[in-house]
């Protein structure tokens, strides 16, 4: 169980999540942390730690381990079917580490190493390695192209790290990488000034309703009822056990009476975003969900209440540029959002700017930025981890609702 952690997605060629790399705040260079029993009990009691399934949403977890941990304290409670063991120091050629890795392989785990210079073939431990990770910002593409066939011949999977643009992603596919780590998928593919298609007008109307102080249930019901997919997804959302564990909701009016106007506005916004981004990788929607809930929890922690739920909406819509391949100013000209939401999405709201800086820090394990923003927001930094963990669990639950109805992204 872990409390202070970040995760970074590793995607396949179809831009679907293959795994998450887990980065631990309490471990050296993000490696697996080793706590005393007393500290572990304290963390478990006060900070609501998560299990690996909670963190990774039933995807594979890449976890880095120090040589000492691998040799003498490897946690055999981990599941080899869902954990890839990453070596913190692949250049360590001691016989003790080699024997430890042999034992870990016998337990059924896959082994991975970071090898930016692609010299792993020279390491004694290489015959045990299943996955090699290459930081493409540190290696020359000519060298990568020359070395990759040897890795493929050895049946080793290759992960390109620090893939942060669409052009990088395309280049790494051409070079022959199998998996891709970085936030390239959350960047616009090409900024094109175009109008939203008329088929999305129902969605646009819903976005406006979610961001309005008024709530016209008759109008909203009519919009949803004339689109079977929207109707189906709305009730899938609202009846998800992550959100509603008690009652079966059968109509929008029933939902309004049970959940309240502000909560319904959140799910109308969520519904519209999901429908608007149905041609993009699901991980963009997933990041948007986590951001929305995290912003909402931050707002609650700060004692800020609003109708419409500004913080939730800003978090949810913060990746619209990637979803629509347009600049935020051009997007907002086409959407009937409130001035307050528009200003926040354009970076004109200091409170929301702090939230955005904070969530990006969690996404990239920038712990010093977390500390800085904790001071600015006057929230204990460890409490921020609790809130972010809650957002991850919530996002996983909602993602599971929509994933079976979501088109596969086109690479």
């Amino acid at each position: 169980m872990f409390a202070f952690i970040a995760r970074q997605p590793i995607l396949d060629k179809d831009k679907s999540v293959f795994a998450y790399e887990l980065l631990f705040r309490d471990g050296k260079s993000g490696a697996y942390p080793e706590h005393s029993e007393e500290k572990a009990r304290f963390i478990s009691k006060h900070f609501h730690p998560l299990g690996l399934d909670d963190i990774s949403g039933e995807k594979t977890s890449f976890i880095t381990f120090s040589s000492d941990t691998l040799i003498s304290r490897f946690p055999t409670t981990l599941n080899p079917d869902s954990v890839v063991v990453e070596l913190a120091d692949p250049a360590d050629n001691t016989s003790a580490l080699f024997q430890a890795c042999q034992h870990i392989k016998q337990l059924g785990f896959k082994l991975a190493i970071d090898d930016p210079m692609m010299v792993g073939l020279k390491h004694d431990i290489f015959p045990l390695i299943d996955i090699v990770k290459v930081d493409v910002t540190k290696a020359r593409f000519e060298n990568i192209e020359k070395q990759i066939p040897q890795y493929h011949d050895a049946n080793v999977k290759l992960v390109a790290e620090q893939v942060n643009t669409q052009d990088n992603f395309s280049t790494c596919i051409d070079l022959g990488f199998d998996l891709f780590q970085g936030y390239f998928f959350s960047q616009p593919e090409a900024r094109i000034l175009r109008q939203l298609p008329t088929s999305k007008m129902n969605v646009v109307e819903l976005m406006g309703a979610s961001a309005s102080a008024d709530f016209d249930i008759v109008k909203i019901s009519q919009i949803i009822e004339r689109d079977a997919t929207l109707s189906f997804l709305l009730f899938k959302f609202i009846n998800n056990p992550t959100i509603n564990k008690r009652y079966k909701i059968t109509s929008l009016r029933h939902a309004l009476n049970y959940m309240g106007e502000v909560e319904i506005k959140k799910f109308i916004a969520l519904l519209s975003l999901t429908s608007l981004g149905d041609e993009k990788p699901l991980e963009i929607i997933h990041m948007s969900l986590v951001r929305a809930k995290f912003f909402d929890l931050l707002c609650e922690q700060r004692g800020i209440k609003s109708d419409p739920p500004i913080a939730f909406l800003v978090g949810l819509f913060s990746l619209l540029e990637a979803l629509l391949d347009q600049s935020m100013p051009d997007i907002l000209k086409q959407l009937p959002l409130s001035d307050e939401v528009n200003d926040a999405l354009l970076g004109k709201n200091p409170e929301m700017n702090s939230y955005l800086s904070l969530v990006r820090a969690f996404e990239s394990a920038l712990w010093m930025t977390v500390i800085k923003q904790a001071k600015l927001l006057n929230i204990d930094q460890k409490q921020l981890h609790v809130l972010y963990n809650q957002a991850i669990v919530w996002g996983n639950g909602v993602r599971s609702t929509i994933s079976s109805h979501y088109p596969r992204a086109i690479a």
Side-chain angles (χ1 to χ4, degrees):
M1 301 292 280
F2 310 100
F4 312 126
I5 194 168
R7 64 179 191 180
Q8 294 181 354
I10 299 173
L11 280 66
D12 62 19
K13 292 177 182 178
D14 294 323
K15 301 182 186 177
S16 296
V17 172
F18 169 78
Y20 288 98
E21 175 159 14
L22 308 189
L23 303 167
F24 300 90
R25 180 170 170 171
D26 291 349
K28 184 179 179 181
S29 300
Y32 185 88
E34 297 188 65
H35 296 137
S36 67
E37 288 187 18
E38 183 179 352
K39 184 174 182 179
R41 284 195 299 269
F42 180 82
I43 290 172
S44 180
K45 181 178 180 181
H46 294 280
F47 297 107
H48 309 288
L50 303 180
L52 291 185
D53 282 347
D54 296 321
I55 299 164
S56 296
E58 300 181 354
K59 299 291 185 181
T60 298
S61 300
F62 277 60
I63 301 177
T64 299
F65 292 88
S66 69
S67 296
D68 286 344
T69 302
L70 293 175
I71 291 167
S72 59
R73 296 180 296 278
F74 183 74
T76 54
T77 54
L78 296 176
N79 183 354
D81 293 331
S82 59
V83 171
V84 172
V85 173
E86 192 168 335
L87 279 63
D89 185 12
D92 184 345
N93 278 326
T94 62
S95 60
L97 179 61
F98 186 84
Q99 290 170 13
C101 289
Q102 282 184 315
H103 176 63
I104 289 165
K105 286 280 288 186
Q106 289 168 1
L107 292 175
F109 290 93
K110 287 184 170 63
L111 292 179
I113 59 169
D114 270 310
D115 189 14
M117 297 299 109
M118 300 192 80
V119 296
L121 290 165
K122 301 175 183 178
H123 293 165
D124 292 341
I125 208 166
F126 185 79
L128 301 177
I129 298 302
D130 302 283
I131 299 169
V132 168
K133 302 176 74 183
V134 181
D135 184 338
V136 294
T137 66
K138 295 179 179 178
R140 295 172 61 88
F141 285 154
E142 305 86 60
N143 184 54
I144 292 173
E145 189 171 24
K146 188 187 305 180
Q147 298 293 339
I148 274 183
Q150 301 176 72
Y151 287 86
H152 286 170
D153 290 344
N155 201 29
V156 170
K157 294 283 187 185
L158 288 164
V159 180
E161 294 184 290
Q162 300 297 326
V163 184
N164 291 319
T165 69
Q166 297 288 344
D167 286 345
N168 283 163
F169 173 64
S170 298
T171 299
C172 289
I173 285 182
D174 291 342
L175 286 170
F177 282 95
D178 305 290
L179 299 165
F180 312 87
Q181 183 171 348
Y183 288 105
F184 66 93
F185 64 91
S186 65
Q187 303 299 317
E189 293 189 33
R191 293 188 186 276
I192 303 171
L193 185 59
R194 60 187 179 195
Q195 295 297 311
L196 293 175
T198 55
S199 61
K200 300 294 185 184
M201 286 305 103
N202 284 345
V203 173
V204 171
E205 288 185 71
L206 287 178
M207 294 180 84
S210 70
S212 171
D214 300 321
F215 191 83
D216 188 339
I217 190 170
V218 174
K219 179 181 178 181
I220 293 168
S221 294
Q222 288 173 344
I223 295 170
I224 294 173
E225 287 168 0
R226 65 179 182 240
D227 189 315
T229 301
L230 291 179
S231 298
F232 180 75
L233 280 177
L234 178 64
F235 294 112
K236 285 281 286 183
F237 288 146
I238 292 176
N239 287 301
N240 185 308
T242 304
I243 296 113
N244 167 25
K245 297 181 180 179
R246 296 185 180 180
Y247 302 106
K248 177 77 172 178
I249 301 295
T250 56
S251 70
L252 187 58
R253 190 172 295 278
H254 182 194
L256 179 62
N257 292 334
Y258 171 62
M259 302 179 72
E261 186 173 310
V262 173
E263 291 302 310
I264 292 303
K265 285 179 178 177
K266 292 176 187 176
F267 285 96
I268 288 173
L270 196 160
L271 178 69
S272 61
L273 186 83
T274 302
S275 299
L276 200 62
D278 57 7
E279 295 179 356
K280 287 289 185 170
L282 179 54
E283 187 63 13
I284 300 179
I285 299 294
H286 194 187
M287 283 180 66
S288 300
L289 296 175
V290 174
R291 287 184 175 195
K293 188 62 175 178
F294 187 48
F295 283 25
D296 200 39
L297 291 169
L298 285 170
C299 212
E300 182 181 324
Q301 184 77 22
R302 297 264 289 162
I304 301 170
K305 295 183 179 180
S306 65
D307 182 7
I310 302 299
F312 184 92
L313 295 173
V314 172
L316 190 68
F317 297 153
S318 61
L319 292 168
L320 280 177
E321 289 183 314
L323 281 170
L324 298 175
D325 295 326
Q326 299 181 48
S327 70
M328 190 65 79
D330 288 335
I331 292 168
L332 296 181
K333 289 174 186 176
Q334 303 175 66
L335 300 179
L337 302 178
S338 68
D339 289 342
E340 193 170 2
V341 173
N342 284 346
D343 286 346
L345 290 171
L346 291 171
K348 299 178 182 179
N349 183 317
E351 178 88 8
M352 295 298 118
N353 288 348
S354 287
Y355 293 7
L356 189 58
S357 177
L358 187 55
V359 80
R360 286 172 174 162
F362 272 107
E363 289 165 356
S364 299
L366 302 175
W367 303 128
M368 293 306 296
T369 302
V370 172
I371 293 170
K372 177 183 176 182
Q373 292 301 326
K375 291 178 180 177
L376 286 174
L377 295 170
N378 194 28
I379 303 175
D380 180 81
Q381 56 185 287
K382 292 183 178 178
Q383 180 62 23
L384 290 176
H385 283 270
V386 173
L387 300 182
Y388 191 65
N389 289 352
Q390 291 175 6
I392 285 176
V393 172
W394 186 89
N396 289 344
V398 177
R399 175 182 179 144
S400 69
T401 297
I402 64 175
S403 59
S404 60
H405 305 282
Y406 210 82
R408 192 168 180 82
I410 298 172

